[in-house]
Amino acid sequence: MAARPSPDLPTGTAPRHVAIIMDGNGRWAKKRFLPRIAGHKQGVEAVRRIARAARKLGVEVLTLYAFSSENWRRPEEEVRDLMGLLRHFLASELDELVSEGVKLRVIGGWRGLAPDLVAMIEAAIARTAANPGPTLVIALNYGAQAEILSVARRLAEQAREDTLDPATIDEARFEAELETAELPPLDLLIRTSGEQRLSNFLLWQAAYAELLFVDTLWPDFDEAALADALAWFGQRQRRFGGL
């Protein structure tokens, strides 16, 4: 079952699990009178930069919101470009992930993507499965509401089949069915670009996470910005509902 957060963590504790809503690629490009794809390309460079910085700064798990289930509403050309960038990232970064001992995980409805992309993801997950960590989690075709509904349906089906007593369903039992079940609890969730909403990302997992909204557009987010975020987290008093 998923681990529960420990209360009264002392000030200065480093986050084990950091998640980022990578927002602002389009606005970065617009400010420079460039097409949106240019912003997305720079966003991929930021992913490389921050993934390396997170390892250097001792983050155990980094979860990145790469493509939401709502992003399908974007223009077809932009979606196609984003999927192409994902293919390029997997092809270009896999060797480094392996050499650095990074374990890759993907959450969301990624198995419904194009067959060649699914095959690339499966191969990357398999190749890094035995790595000791840290872990890079990519949320791809992900929506938190869909994740929660899926868990609820599975538990309801088990109860209907008399393989689960509904009275035994508690937070830990529910968390054990989430896609993040084997990961440490989410400590810090960062959103770039100045927007202050979760946009259907890790809604259950973020219940007691520290939330940090920064004005920096994602392509400009760098190691110093991440270090500042971790330092900010270290000053937080995390009581988890207690005094």
Side-chain angles (χ1 to χ4, degrees):
M1 292 187 180
R4 302 297 298 163
S6 300
D8 301 321
L9 293 179
T11 299
T13 299
R16 297 178 63 198
H17 185 176
V18 176
I20 305 178
I21 300 174
M22 306 177 293
D23 194 16
N25 292 344
R27 275 167 283 173
W28 184 94
K30 185 177 181 180
K31 285 176 61 177
R32 291 160 175 78
F33 304 100
L34 297 171
R36 287 178 63 84
I37 184 59
H40 292 312
K41 287 180 178 177
Q42 289 301 311
V44 171
E45 291 303 315
V47 168
R48 293 190 177 100
R49 185 168 62 240
I50 294 305
R52 292 166 181 163
R55 297 197 295 270
K56 178 180 176 182
L57 294 169
V59 175
E60 184 177 332
V61 178
L62 176 66
T63 299
L64 301 176
Y65 203 10
F67 192 88
S68 77
S69 52
E70 289 79 24
N71 285 156
W72 294 108
R73 301 170 186 167
R74 295 188 177 188
E76 182 179 348
E77 181 180 2
E78 182 170 349
V79 171
R80 185 170 59 249
D81 288 340
L82 288 169
M83 294 302 160
L85 287 172
L86 177 60
R87 289 180 176 89
H88 176 70
F89 177 81
L90 289 171
S92 62
E93 296 301 303
L94 184 55
D95 285 346
E96 180 174 329
L97 295 180
V98 172
S99 67
E100 291 292 318
V102 177
K103 181 177 296 185
L104 178 67
R105 290 187 56 168
V106 183
I107 62 174
W110 59 272
R111 291 177 179 84
L113 300 178
D116 71 304
L117 185 50
V118 172
M120 289 185 71
I121 294 170
E122 289 176 338
I125 292 172
R127 190 174 169 196
T128 64
N131 288 351
T135 300
L136 175 63
V137 183
I138 305 295
L140 185 58
N141 194 20
Y142 173 87
Q145 291 175 330
E147 179 184 27
I148 291 169
L149 284 171
S150 178
V151 171
R153 291 190 186 106
R154 285 199 301 275
L155 294 176
E157 183 65 20
Q158 293 172 26
R160 188 181 69 84
E161 295 174 349
D162 291 329
T163 60
L164 175 66
D165 180 358
T168 66
I169 301 175
D170 57 11
E171 290 91 342
R173 180 67 183 86
F174 195 92
E175 287 177 1
E177 296 289 333
L178 293 170
E179 294 191 72
T180 55
E182 298 175 1
L183 301 175
L186 180 60
D187 293 311
L188 172 62
L189 191 153
I190 304 166
R191 180 169 187 150
T192 60
S193 88
E195 300 293 346
Q196 298 188 22
R197 56 182 179 271
L198 297 184
S199 295
N200 202 18
F201 183 49
L202 300 179
L203 297 180
W204 177 284
Q205 295 88 339
Y208 279 102
E210 299 296 321
L211 307 181
L212 178 61
F213 303 101
V214 298
D215 291 332
T216 308
L217 301 175
W218 175 245
D220 294 327
F221 198 78
D222 57 16
E223 180 177 342
L226 180 61
D228 286 344
L230 301 190
W232 174 87
F233 175 88
Q235 298 304 310
R236 302 295 296 167
Q237 291 286 347
R238 307 187 73 201
R239 299 182 180 86
F240 301 100
L243 297 178

